[in-house]
Amino acid sequence: MGKKLNIVQILPLLITFLLVGNHAKITMSPAPQPQPPNNTLPMNGSTPGSLHPQDCLPKCTYRCSNTQYRKPCMFFCQKCCATCLCVPPGTYGNKQLCPCYNNWKTKRGGPKCP
């Protein structure tokens, strides 16, 4: 009689386990998504605060490499870099990547940073 009592007690647990086990869902991880292509522009130092002051000279040298107004470009680029600690990638544009550099204006409202 003791064995029948144990089977009677275990049977509802076994049935519950089987019912719950049938409702389990198997989920698979999503397939890896393709990565966007790398730009040819150097991105290091283009986010606010990502540069050290000693990194400003090489970044500004590259930034001002295609302008005919090299001295003023270098002066203002280094001033902006020292304050913002970032320089946008490339030789022109891309200022949206460095908001401090982009939003610094002259007294007349023009862009301060090249």
Side-chain angles (χ1 to χ4, degrees):
M1 175 123 175
K3 289 184 181 181
K4 288 184 181 179
L5 186 60
N6 287 338
I7 292 174
V8 171
Q9 290 174 343
I10 294 175
L11 190 59
L13 292 173
L14 185 60
I15 292 172
T16 305
F17 176 76
L18 291 174
L19 289 175
V20 171
N22 287 338
H23 292 292
K25 294 182 181 179
I26 298 174
T27 58
M28 300 190 66
S29 61
Q33 299 297 319
Q35 298 295 321
N38 286 340
N39 289 343
T40 57
L41 299 174
M43 295 301 288
N44 186 18
S46 63
T47 56
S50 63
L51 288 179
H52 297 289
Q54 65 268 19
D55 298 329
C56 289
L57 182 62
K59 292 289 182 181
C60 287
T61 301
Y62 179 72
R63 179 84 177 163
C64 296
S65 64
N66 284 350
T67 184
Q68 65 189 65
Y69 305 105
R70 185 165 169 75
K71 282 187 178 182
C73 180
M74 286 294 292
F75 175 80
F76 287 109
C77 180
Q78 287 179 326
K79 184 174 183 134
C80 295
C81 180
T83 302
C84 301
L85 294 178
C86 67
V87 175
T91 57
Y92 183 78
N94 302 313
K95 289 184 181 183
Q96 71 278 5
L97 298 174
C98 183
C100 170
Y101 195 97
N102 188 32
N103 298 333
W104 199 2
K105 305 293 182 195
T106 63
K107 291 178 183 178
R108 294 183 180 179
K112 187 167 195 94
C113 306

